[in-house]
Amino acid sequence: MRVALFVPCFIDAFFPQVGVATLELLERFGVSVDYPLDQTCCGQPMANNGCQADAAATEALFLKNFSGYDYVVAPSASCTHHIRKHFDAIPQTEAVTQLRARTFEIVEFLHDVLKVEAFPWAEFPHKVGLHNSCSALRALKTASISEIAGESFSKPLALLSKVKGLTTALPARPDECCGFGGTFSVFEEPVSARMGYDKVRDFAQTEVEYVVSADSSCLMHQQGCAERLGLGMKFIHIVEILNGARA
Amino acid sequence: MSRVDHAGLSAKFLAAEANAEFHDRRLWDLRMKRDQQMAMIPEWQDLRDRASAIKEHTLSQLDRYLEEFEANATKNGATVHWARDAAEHNEIVHRLLSERGVRTLVKSKSMLTEECEMRPYLEARGIKVIETDLGERIQQLDDEPPSHIVIPAVHKLRGDVSKVFARTIGSEPGNDDIHYLAKSQRDDTRPYFLDAEAGMTGGNFIVAETGAVVTVTNEGNADLSANVPKLYIACVGIEKLVPRLADLAIFIRLLSRSAIGSPISQYTSHFRKARAGGEMHIVLVDNGRSARLGMADFWTSLKCIRCGACMNTCPVYRRSGGLSYRAVYAGPIGAIIDPTFDLKKFSALPFASTMNGSCTDVCPVKINIHEQIYAWRRVIAEQRQLPFVKREAMRIAGRIFSSPKLYRLALKLTRLANNGLPRFAIYTMLNPWGHHREVPAPPVETFNAWYRANRGGRR
């Protein structure tokens, strides 16, 4: 199995420990991981703003870096969603459609592909609140949502339940968007910040020590809000916990 | 028309803390009630599939069904008029009223007449128009458009309503008891039903098979508007059609549950013909709908039954208020309809979204709202309607991200700026991020640098 690691630009720049944890975690399960050194971004920032032409060269570079692998794995539902559902600024050749189908977000890769049974090294004796990004929830469907009635399930919670000592708490609005939204966070700053404030206050009500998510972008936004509000909780990516991070 | 500044108007909305807090809580409460109703109907998802299929089928043969409707409505004794656009609609309505010497028109809520800007048109021609539904009346008296398609004054607190009524209809100043305020409005409005020479309603549905106009309401003002005055005019968009009476049942089950989380509304009325001695006219309005029907990416927005569920669930709408969209239709459904009226003016609205997708999942007729929002962004960029700053930012980002060298250089410069600049410079100069949020502290090295150092650049 040839697996390439995609470390999205903002994780590369601001949360390198998330990239390291993803790499180490995959290696713990015997996966041989390549990290193409020339990788940058998946093209989502431009494409989400409608700028297809500006996204094309970035998508072409992504294809060059990542084609030919059995799987591309990224610690980001948001970027995975872009690649799987929207990566169409370049011609849809066989190589592109294969790349899109073979790109996985780390939680679904662990849960659905590796079918991980245990994380013996992981212990996190803390009360955590899980934040599922909208891409994870409503696009990749890694958990059930309150808008649709049906059997409830959660792949991230299923993974976290295998971590020793970890307990979870549910906020009042568990699947409300936190307001990051990419460039929305800057161009619609007032609403974005308000949504972030409401989100972290909702978590604060449950007295969690940590907010955990599979998306660092949501965490970066929420952490920025929580710090400004003086709320004490901490923020951590799910792979860090699964890889055995201690507080 | 200049571009609507949704972000700026949102900031104003949020500055009124009590209103903003209530607005979010009230609409979220409706979303929760909608969820509870959904949970009681095991076949909910099946109903959504059927409703969507019926609407898509009807829209694909709209001409045939519209003619069937016209034939059956005419057989019932109503007169059907066809309006190509808002101007024709207003002319038809004005002609009907002026030919009969009507001076006062009572009406029940209709988003279509808002869309046609009918009230100012008629008032400029000497006809008094009285909104009779509570929310719509509050907005009329306050000289504001509705902020929500189902709950027009949801952005107002009871104290705001008390002030409006004290100023306009002589209610007791300072009395903000809800029952008192509702009664004051009713006492003020009811006499108009007896005086008015004409009544008007919109239509939630029209049924081809029966030729009926169907309204779904709670206050009963549609029934009074249609039945008390001699002349009854119903104004309906051509997309409101369903083929058969049996089809309607599906939509009635979905509508109130989706809209306000109640199993059914107080009144579901089928108007087929005028009362004895009266006249019934139906104005079928296109006003851009046919053009929308021809848009490959956007035609399914015509399935909309105007329940407002997408607005209630939308975290952006809840925190910016309907008036911040400066459009007849606010919220997610507005973001995908409004650009068809004026692309430039409404070009910011598809960006007033985090693309969270909740709207699509609550939509009872399964409109892929958030995907259409995404598609509109492409149209807006292609039509060069993005603000200059964003357009340039994306052009530069596209160049940086497509070159590993430029990308590495840009990260280096960002780190220098974040580490080297004093706090006040980061928080005032860089971008709006820091107005309400802390900027993340840059770590000692990027992942890429870590990998090169620790894994020897192995590929």
Side-chain angles (χ1 to χ4, degrees):
Chain A
M1 182 159 68
R2 293 190 66 225
V3 172
L5 172 65
F6 170 42
V7 177
C9 50
F10 60 94
I11 293 181
D12 182 25
F14 289 110
F15 306 100
Q17 73 279 13
V18 173
V20 174
T22 311
L23 176 64
E24 289 180 354
L25 187 56
L26 289 170
E27 288 174 345
R28 282 181 194 268
F29 291 109
V31 178
S32 161
V33 183
D34 274 3
Y35 170 74
L37 285 165
D38 279 349
Q39 60 179 280
T40 59
C41 156
C42 63
Q44 182 181 200
M46 291 76 76
N48 269 14
N49 280 291
C51 301
Q52 279 291 85
D54 293 319
T58 303
E59 290 186 0
L61 176 64
F62 188 91
L63 174 68
K64 193 173 148 218
N65 280 316
F66 289 100
S67 57
Y69 287 98
D70 296 321
Y71 295 101
V72 177
V73 179
S76 161
S78 165
C79 304
T80 304
H81 171 222
H82 172 73
I83 296 156
R84 215 180 277 166
K85 301 275 171 71
H86 291 144
F87 192 89
D88 58 1
I90 53 175
Q92 297 298 293
T93 60
E94 177 67 21
V96 173
T97 48
Q98 278 195 9
L99 171 65
R100 293 177 63 176
R102 292 172 180 183
T103 301
F104 281 73
E105 182 268 331
I106 184 70
V107 167
E108 51 178 15
F109 189 74
L110 294 169
H111 189 278
D112 300 344
V113 180
L114 297 183
K115 303 191 195 313
V116 171
E117 297 284 345
F119 302 89
W121 48 80
E123 185 176 349
F124 204 72
H126 302 281
K127 188 173 171 186
V128 308
L130 173 66
H131 171 72
N132 288 312
S133 73
C134 298
S135 302
L137 268 179
R138 300 188 184 86
L140 303 184
K141 305 192 189 302
T142 58
S144 51
I145 54 171
S146 55
E147 291 93 332
I148 307 272
E151 209 161 307
S152 103
F153 69 95
S154 171
K155 295 175 189 178
L157 276 184
L159 298 182
L160 287 173
S161 70
K162 304 179 201 305
V163 174
K164 210 171 141 192
L166 182 142
T167 55
T168 55
L170 208 60
R173 302 182 185 185
D175 47 22
E176 171 98 317
C177 174
C178 72
F180 172 67
T183 57
F184 177 89
S185 64
V186 174
F187 287 95
E188 284 269 350
E189 187 275 338
V191 172
S192 173
R194 175 66 185 226
M195 288 168 67
Y197 280 17
D198 288 350
K199 189 62 166 178
V200 294
R201 282 173 176 145
D202 198 8
F203 275 123
Q205 288 289 319
T206 63
E207 297 177 336
V208 292
E209 294 166 74
Y210 285 84
V211 174
V212 54
S213 175
D215 277 80
S216 290
S217 47
C218 301
L219 289 176
M220 174 172 71
H221 165 67
Q222 291 179 38
Q223 182 168 358
C225 291
E227 284 177 5
R228 183 62 61 90
L229 289 173
L231 299 174
M233 81 271 267
K234 287 173 262 186
F235 296 82
I236 189 166
H237 195 287
I238 189 168
V239 288
E240 296 178 78
I241 295 177
L242 299 179
N243 189 45
R246 298 289 187 268
Chain B
M1 288 289 249
S2 64
R3 186 187 299 122
V4 173
D5 174 20
H6 181 265
L9 293 163
S10 303
K12 278 188 195 148
F13 173 84
L14 289 169
E17 174 61 34
N19 290 64
E21 194 275 331
F22 175 80
H23 191 262
D24 171 61
R25 189 158 41 84
R26 170 89 177 95
L27 293 173
W28 181 256
D29 182 52
L30 292 180
R31 192 9 249 289
M32 292 293 95
K33 287 186 169 136
R34 172 249 172 226
D35 288 3
Q36 287 160 12
Q37 288 297 326
M38 168 185 68
M40 285 189 257
I41 307 224
E43 67 272 31
W44 184 261
Q45 301 308 332
D46 183 43
L47 288 178
R48 289 176 76 217
D49 285 334
R50 282 165 193 260
S52 171
I54 291 167
K55 278 286 182 182
E56 288 186 11
H57 165 81
T58 312
L59 288 166
S60 72
Q61 307 188 41
L62 197 55
D63 52 341
R64 179 163 78 78
Y65 284 119
L66 281 169
E67 283 173 3
E68 185 186 337
F69 173 80
E70 182 189 33
N72 286 327
T74 308
K75 219 182 287 168
N76 292 341
T79 309
V80 177
H81 307 261
W82 301 83
R84 195 182 306 275
D85 52 25
E88 274 193 21
H89 165 267
N90 292 346
E91 282 163 25
I92 290 165
V93 171
H94 180 245
R95 180 162 42 77
L96 290 172
L97 298 176
S98 60
E99 279 174 2
R100 288 158 186 78
V102 172
R103 285 155 298 142
T104 304
L105 172 71
V106 282
K107 69 183 285 283
S108 181
K109 182 172 173 300
S110 149
M111 291 310 295
L112 179 68
T113 57
E114 297 287 340
E115 189 184 311
C116 295
E117 296 176 17
M118 181 197 78
R119 221 160 60 206
Y121 179 91
L122 292 180
E123 282 167 352
R125 285 156 185 79
I127 294 168
K128 195 169 182 175
V129 181
I130 306 293
E131 298 289 348
T132 58
D133 288 312
L134 177 58
E136 193 79 20
R137 182 65 173 161
I138 293 168
Q139 290 308 93
Q140 181 184 25
L141 291 171
D142 202 24
D143 200 20
E144 264 187 346
S147 76
H148 187 290
I149 59 178
V150 176
I151 322 154
V154 69
H155 61 293
K156 284 187 166 76
L157 297 171
R158 59 164 87 178
D160 302 325
V161 175
S162 169
K163 277 181 202 148
V164 173
F165 282 0
R167 175 162 53 80
T168 54
I169 60 171
S171 71
E172 188 183 306
N175 189 338
D176 64 357
D177 178 76
I178 287 173
H179 298 288
Y180 169 74
L181 292 172
K183 185 174 183 307
S184 301
Q185 184 266 348
R186 190 166 292 193
D187 290 346
D188 176 71
T189 309
R190 281 287 154 95
Y192 288 109
F193 283 115
L194 302 175
D195 296 342
E197 302 90 350
M200 174 179 279
T201 70
N204 293 88
F205 303 95
I206 53 177
V207 185
E209 182 186 37
T210 64
V213 174
V214 181
T215 63
V216 180
T217 66
N218 280 308
E219 295 172 51
N221 296 309
D223 304 85
L224 290 169
S225 298
N227 288 310
V228 179
K230 264 191 171 172
L231 172 63
Y232 167 42
I233 306 173
C235 302
V236 191
I238 54 173
E239 84 283 20
K240 293 295 184 76
L241 202 57
V242 294
R244 302 166 306 176
L245 193 58
D247 301 324
L248 186 66
I250 290 166
F251 294 92
I252 298 298
R253 293 187 75 193
L254 288 166
L255 180 54
S256 298
R257 289 184 170 94
S258 297
I260 54 171
S262 74
I264 192 119
S265 62
Q266 297 295 325
Y267 303 92
T268 300
S269 305
H270 297 236
F271 301 112
R272 295 191 199 206
K273 58 182 175 189
R275 70 164 168 87
E279 294 178 68
M280 174 170 173
H281 293 261
I282 302 164
V283 188
L284 297 175
V285 185
D286 186 320
N287 202 33
R289 285 160 176 76
S290 295
R292 215 177 291 151
L293 192 55
M295 297 177 172
D297 290 336
F298 306 114
W299 70 277
T300 57
S301 62
L302 289 163
K303 292 192 288 185
C304 177
I305 57 172
R306 303 283 189 268
C307 69
C310 62
M311 305 164 88
N312 301 346
T313 201
C314 178
V316 177
Y317 173 84
R318 271 188 269 114
R319 291 176 184 83
S320 58
L323 300 182
S324 68
Y325 293 75
R326 285 280 191 273
V328 174
Y329 304 103
I333 188 65
I336 63 172
I337 290 179
D338 298 327
T340 67
F341 291 109
D342 186 336
L343 185 70
K344 184 178 179 200
K345 182 181 178 187
F346 300 120
S347 60
L349 301 188
F351 294 92
S353 162
T354 62
M355 309 283 290
N356 60 76
S358 183
C359 46
T360 298
D361 289 328
V362 298
C363 178
V365 291
K366 298 190 91 166
I367 302 170
N368 58 337
I369 302 176
H370 76 295
E371 288 170 5
Q372 293 193 31
I373 289 174
Y374 186 84
W376 271 115
R377 292 180 176 191
R378 282 189 186 177
V379 174
I380 287 158
E382 278 162 18
Q383 302 288 318
R384 306 202 48 89
Q385 295 298 336
L386 284 182
F388 176 77
V389 174
K390 183 179 274 185
R391 200 169 71 215
E392 276 304 288
M394 290 305 129
R395 193 179 61 79
I396 293 163
R399 286 192 55 191
I400 291 172
F401 286 136
S402 58
S403 157
K405 268 190 193 146
L406 279 179
Y407 168 70
R408 291 282 142 221
L409 180 66
L411 287 194
K412 211 171 269 178
L413 294 175
T414 309
R415 305 164 69 71
L416 281 177
N418 275 3
N419 289 327
L421 288 175
R423 184 179 163 88
F424 77 87
I426 293 173
Y427 285 90
T428 56
M429 285 164 56
L430 275 186
N431 62 43
W433 176 274
H435 291 173
H436 293 93
R437 283 166 294 211
E438 295 297 306
V439 174
V444 284
E445 59 184 355
T446 63
F447 176 79
N448 193 282
W450 175 90
Y451 190 88
R452 284 172 196 267
N454 291 279
R455 299 298 178 96
R458 174 171 67 91
R459 288 197 61 142

